[in-house]
Amino acid sequence: MATISPSGESQRLYDFMKALNSKFDPTERRDYLPPWPGFRSVFNLNMRAAEKGCHIQLDERLEHEMTDSGTPHIVLSSRLTRALQALDAMRERFDVIFIYVPQSWSAGFFGNTDEDFDLHDHLKAASAARRLPIQLVREDRALAYPHKASVMWRIGLALYAKAGGVPWKLADSDPDTAYIGISYAVRPVESDKPRFVTCCSQVFDGDGAGLEFVAYDANEVDVQRDNPFLSRNEMFRVMTRSLDLYRRRHAGRTPRRVIVHKSTEFKFEEIDGCMEALHLCEAVDLVQIVEDVPWRGAKIDPPRGANRKGAPAGYPVDRGSLLGLGPRECLLWMHGNVAGINNSGSYFQGSRSTPRPIRLVRHAGHGPWDDTARSALALSKMNWNNDGLYDQLPVTMSYAKVLARVVKRMPGLGKAPYQFRFFM
């Protein structure tokens, strides 16, 4: 691990790295979280500091310069970006860069009210452009959070994945299916670059492992209700490049089935572009995933005896519950009760609120909803940057959101595919 830290505070970062090799028992989520046995025990891998010269301390004048400046976020981000550039020159000596972010830098976390600036996303964009994986360690979050086992699982998993490791894969999956997620990043109006960036998230193969992703500026865009829709040619380009990523990782083989996820509907031109690019695939499913729906569900236990009515259950609707709304739409509960996680027989992640479903709308494809729903549920467990049992969206959509947020801040997109670990 290489490190970047404020002047005189590098020891706090080294102490945190040492703690990753220690054991911690869970003090929250005890019905789910196992003890943290240390980085070496979890991953069968040693985690240690990089050699001398890979550790940068920013000079003590930085905070004074931030205080005196009307744009402290620019001062801070410029200094950190220069430190990243310096470490880039010795890239072969480390795997991941730890950046310690003290609370005293908080004036530089965000820009002014009229600026679209976020320090986290800015640093991810700067480091991803150089293909440098970074891990931010904030004083007010990772170091201040009292539940150390949770912190160690989250940071440990992220470090392992950013260093190129594969923390887990799906046990049961169709090896001939590829999953693609599409989202859009919108640049500020004042940018001199095209207004929209099409961001195609990583292409996932059958076991849910993320491949690379492509992103490029989209010029042929039709905006309706503030949502961009691609022309036939633009969608053809996105799908063709996404399919190429899959083929490169599978010896030139074309997937038998492709499932494409998008948060907005597929227009006729977009459907035509997909079908032309994926014409060698036996089956193509174009599925819109709607996150904000008004539906709720309650679980009713069966009657206990004759002439009695069912009663509300003590737990919410089961995760994976599926309710058809019509031939092209259904509701799917990604969030809900899960059996078999602990000794109590039921586990409800977060233990609060009534879980809301997502709505799946199929714009192309056929067959029962079971396979489509099962793949969405499986992909919700493939976020390597989270120690939870699942996310409330399939990773095709949740990753796409992260990519879109960061990609629009990159100075140039380049033609080469990216690995998602640089954006985590």
Side-chain angles (χ1 to χ4, degrees):
M1 300 296 161
T3 62
I4 299 174
S5 59
S7 175
E9 298 193 51
S10 59
Q11 191 58 46
R12 294 200 70 182
L13 202 48
Y14 298 149
D15 291 342
F16 182 76
M17 292 168 63
K18 289 179 183 176
L20 276 166
N21 288 316
S22 302
K23 300 178 181 178
F24 293 93
D25 289 325
T27 52
E28 64 170 357
R29 301 181 292 162
R30 289 189 175 92
D31 55 347
Y32 165 71
L33 196 68
W36 170 257
F39 194 91
R40 168 72 185 179
S41 297
V42 174
F43 301 110
N44 195 28
L45 197 69
N46 289 320
M47 191 268 301
R48 59 183 175 80
E51 62 187 69
K52 189 177 181 180
C54 297
H55 306 281
I56 296 177
Q57 288 195 53
L58 303 187
D59 63 72
E60 56 188 15
R61 295 171 300 174
L62 172 60
E63 292 188 16
H64 297 295
E65 293 177 15
M66 290 174 62
T67 303
D68 296 338
S69 173
T71 54
H73 57 293
I74 300 298
V75 175
L76 177 60
S77 60
S78 299
R79 200 65 64 85
L80 288 170
T81 301
R82 287 206 295 271
L84 289 172
Q85 291 171 347
L87 288 174
D88 190 21
M90 48 190 93
R91 178 67 184 90
E92 73 283 358
R93 301 181 188 176
F94 61 87
D95 291 310
V96 181
I97 301 173
F98 256 134
I99 303 178
Y100 175 44
V101 183
Q103 184 61 18
S104 57
W105 287 356
S106 60
F109 290 175
F110 300 100
N112 299 322
T113 54
D114 58 342
E115 292 179 277
D116 181 23
F117 179 88
D118 180 291
L119 180 66
H120 173 275
D121 294 346
H122 179 88
L123 292 177
K124 292 291 181 182
S127 58
R130 296 176 177 276
R131 303 184 190 264
L132 294 171
I134 63 173
Q135 176 64 52
L136 304 185
V137 180
R138 283 182 55 167
E139 181 183 25
D140 60 333
R141 293 188 179 178
L143 296 190
Y145 197 63
H147 306 290
K148 295 305 178 187
S150 295
V151 174
M152 298 306 159
W153 275 112
R154 289 164 184 161
I155 299 290
L157 285 169
L159 283 180
Y160 183 69
K162 290 175 183 180
V166 177
W168 62 81
K169 292 183 179 180
L170 294 177
D172 301 316
S173 59
D174 180 355
D176 294 322
T177 297
Y179 306 93
I180 300 172
I182 300 175
S183 71
Y184 306 97
V186 183
R187 283 201 178 96
V189 176
E190 59 270 19
S191 172
D192 59 350
K193 294 184 172 59
R195 182 84 172 96
F196 293 102
V197 172
T198 297
C199 176
C200 184
S201 77
Q202 282 181 309
V203 180
F204 293 81
D205 56 16
D207 58 16
L211 305 179
E212 297 161 312
F213 78 95
V214 291
Y216 70 93
D217 292 333
N219 299 310
E220 299 178 22
V221 177
D222 179 24
V223 181
Q224 299 180 18
R225 305 188 307 277
D226 292 331
N227 293 315
F229 296 94
L230 300 184
S231 69
R232 183 178 182 280
N233 290 335
E234 291 281 13
M235 184 58 84
F236 176 81
R237 288 173 61 195
V238 172
M239 287 298 111
T240 300
R241 294 187 65 183
S242 300
L243 194 58
D244 286 344
L245 290 183
Y246 183 93
R247 287 172 171 152
R248 284 196 313 163
R249 293 297 188 96
H250 294 82
R253 180 167 53 85
T254 298
R256 182 185 60 81
R257 184 181 189 186
V258 174
I259 298 177
V260 184
H261 290 160
K262 192 160 82 82
S263 61
T264 55
E265 67 265 34
F266 289 81
K267 297 294 186 184
F268 289 123
E269 285 205 351
E270 292 181 320
I271 294 173
D272 283 348
C274 287
M275 292 304 176
E276 182 176 356
L278 305 174
H279 70 280
L280 293 178
C281 305
E282 291 182 20
V284 177
D285 291 90
L286 305 182
V287 181
Q288 177 189 1
I289 295 182
V290 182
E291 189 176 1
D292 186 16
V293 299
W295 289 84
R296 299 290 186 276
K299 183 178 181 181
I300 305 297
D301 284 335
R304 297 180 178 179
N307 301 322
R308 301 189 64 177
K309 295 182 178 180
Y315 279 85
V317 172
D318 291 341
R319 168 176 151 83
S321 297
L322 191 65
L323 179 64
L325 297 178
R328 293 177 54 239
E329 298 184 42
C330 72
L331 298 176
L332 174 63
W333 272 262
M334 307 288 282
H335 184 35
N337 182 47
V338 180
I341 300 299
N342 50 39
N343 294 330
S344 70
S346 295
Y347 174 72
F348 180 39
Q349 185 167 280
S351 303
R352 65 180 65 176
S353 74
T354 302
R356 68 174 70 179
I358 59 173
R359 184 164 62 97
L360 305 181
V361 184
R362 187 152 54 195
H363 293 267
H366 58 273
W369 278 106
D370 297 38
D371 288 345
T372 303
R374 187 177 292 112
S375 64
L377 288 164
L379 289 170
S380 72
K381 303 179 75 170
M382 291 307 297
N383 184 357
W384 292 338
N385 203 24
N386 184 3
D387 70 338
L389 181 61
Y390 56 83
D391 284 349
Q392 296 191 31
L393 285 175
V395 74
T396 42
M397 299 306 299
S398 57
Y399 275 15
K401 286 185 175 181
V402 175
L403 295 171
R405 206 176 63 229
V406 176
V407 162
K408 68 178 181 179
R409 304 174 195 278
M410 295 176 66
L413 295 177
K415 295 182 179 179
Y418 292 93
Q419 296 179 14
F420 182 75
R421 65 191 182 100
F422 299 122
F423 295 79
M424 291 171 62

